[in-house]
Amino acid sequence: MILTVTLNTALDLTYRVPALKPHSSHRITEVTERPGGKGLNVARVLAALGHEVTVTGFTGGATGRTVQDLLTATPGLVDALVPVAGPTRRTIALVDDRTGDTTQLNEPGPTIAPAEWSAFQEAYEDLLAPASAVALCGSLPPGVPVGAYAGLIRLAKAAGVPVLLDTSGEPLRRGIAARPDLVKPNAEELAELTGSHDPLRGAQDARRRGARSVVASLGTQGLLAVTPEGRWHATPPARLHGNPTGAGDSAVAGLLSGLAEQLPWPDRLSRAVALSAATVLAPVAGEFDRGAYEELVGRVAVTGEVTAA
């Protein structure tokens, strides 16, 4: 079983409009809703690939019940969300059909009481026992300590479960010091963490700060991995045109499954880049095109070298 943690779960709402114009009323042409938050997005991709996945985090209020109802309808997912008093947040994506641009509105999430945080940590420790890998993903809701991910990493390591961290800012800075097995920042997050705008130098610095391995997302230029076993750069076979929503989370799903399966790094990176590319090409934002994934995974270019770093 693979475990994903989404402390700031969400109900993702997507509104499509013919053209988005400030200071005016709009007629919405299409509405979609689905469970949201990075860890839930990762879990959905893993389940679609056939993995057994358990999701945990917080859920509350009517919005939280809607998220759980939608999770129940997703094959392969086990809901282990922890109830809280405050309502689960909503995120609203406004898609301009004329330009294809998306405007995102994100609520902050419920305020988590100390007793609710303690209850989550107890539930998390129990869920680690059968887990083959765990991903800690996304932002922290109000009330959760900024060093929360560092504590959860230590619990996972004590249980012998490899852990992937995908967050940003101070939670990333503190979490990386707890020595996660893998961190997956994008180029901007890596630069903010290390002060270096050179991804290779930034990844090397992140390893010195505590991460065992670093995989940096470089957008259309693919993924850069700096690990104890070597350094690799994986790129899609061609420049892709489509919606990049969810592409990063799909890459995390590929890396996490490879971590759980203990695949060689080139295979992990090929899977991650192919899933990310198949998400860009999918007709529905945030999903991945299975046919495209199966066609792309063998065509991802992975260059690099094995080292004794």
Side-chain angles (χ1 to χ4, degrees):
M1 178 269 284
I2 297 177
L3 177 65
T4 71
V5 175
T6 313
L7 295 178
N8 212 2
T9 55
L11 178 65
D12 286 348
L13 300 169
T14 300
Y15 296 151
R16 303 191 72 94
V17 296
L20 185 61
K21 301 176 182 178
H23 316 297
S24 63
S25 298
H26 297 78
R27 185 174 297 278
I28 297 169
T29 58
E30 181 182 343
V31 179
T32 58
E33 61 180 16
R34 64 176 188 173
K38 280 181 170 294
L40 295 188
N41 296 339
V42 170
R44 188 165 50 247
V45 175
L46 290 169
L49 291 173
H51 291 277
E52 295 181 4
V53 190
T54 295
V55 298
T56 191
F58 295 113
T59 181
T63 306
R65 288 192 293 274
T66 300
V67 167
Q68 290 184 286
D69 288 343
L70 292 170
L71 287 174
T72 300
T74 305
L77 290 186
V78 175
D79 172 7
L81 295 171
V82 176
V84 295
T88 294
R89 68 184 177 129
R90 294 163 296 182
T91 70
I92 300 173
L94 302 174
V95 180
D96 185 326
D97 284 334
R98 178 174 55 87
T99 65
D101 292 338
T102 299
T103 299
Q104 192 79 20
L105 305 173
N106 297 328
E107 296 179 355
T111 297
I112 306 302
E116 293 170 335
W117 175 235
S118 295
F120 170 80
Q121 291 177 89
E122 292 179 8
Y124 172 75
E125 284 195 79
D126 291 339
L127 291 168
L128 285 173
S132 57
V134 58
L136 309 175
C137 302
S139 63
L140 302 177
V144 171
V146 70
Y149 283 138
L152 298 181
I153 290 166
R154 294 186 187 101
L155 289 173
K157 292 178 74 68
V161 179
V163 57
L164 181 156
L165 177 63
D166 182 18
T167 188
S168 60
E170 191 62 21
L172 173 60
R173 188 180 307 277
R174 298 202 186 190
I176 212 169
R179 302 187 177 278
D181 295 273
L182 174 61
V183 295
K184 205 288 298 175
N186 60 34
E188 181 180 343
E189 293 162 348
L190 187 60
E192 181 185 3
L193 173 71
T194 66
S196 175
H197 291 276
D198 180 319
L200 177 57
R201 289 184 180 179
Q204 291 170 329
D205 186 9
R207 286 201 65 218
R208 286 191 292 269
R209 291 167 183 258
R212 177 172 173 80
S213 298
V214 179
V215 176
S217 176
L218 307 180
T220 58
Q221 298 178 44
L223 298 175
L224 171 68
V226 179
T227 81
E229 293 81 18
R231 302 169 187 165
W232 292 273
H233 184 200
T235 55
R239 188 173 181 86
L240 305 171
H241 299 281
N243 190 333
T245 300
D249 297 334
S250 291
V252 170
L255 294 169
L256 185 61
S257 62
L259 181 64
E261 297 170 30
Q262 299 182 336
L263 294 179
W265 272 105
D267 293 343
R268 300 186 200 188
L269 295 169
S270 294
R271 180 182 292 180
V273 169
L275 281 170
S276 180
T279 301
V280 173
L281 296 172
V284 178
E287 304 296 334
F288 78 95
D289 185 314
R290 180 178 292 275
Y293 164 68
E294 293 174 351
E295 191 272 331
L296 287 167
V297 70
R299 297 174 53 212
V300 173
V302 183
T303 59
E305 59 182 358
V306 176
T307 69

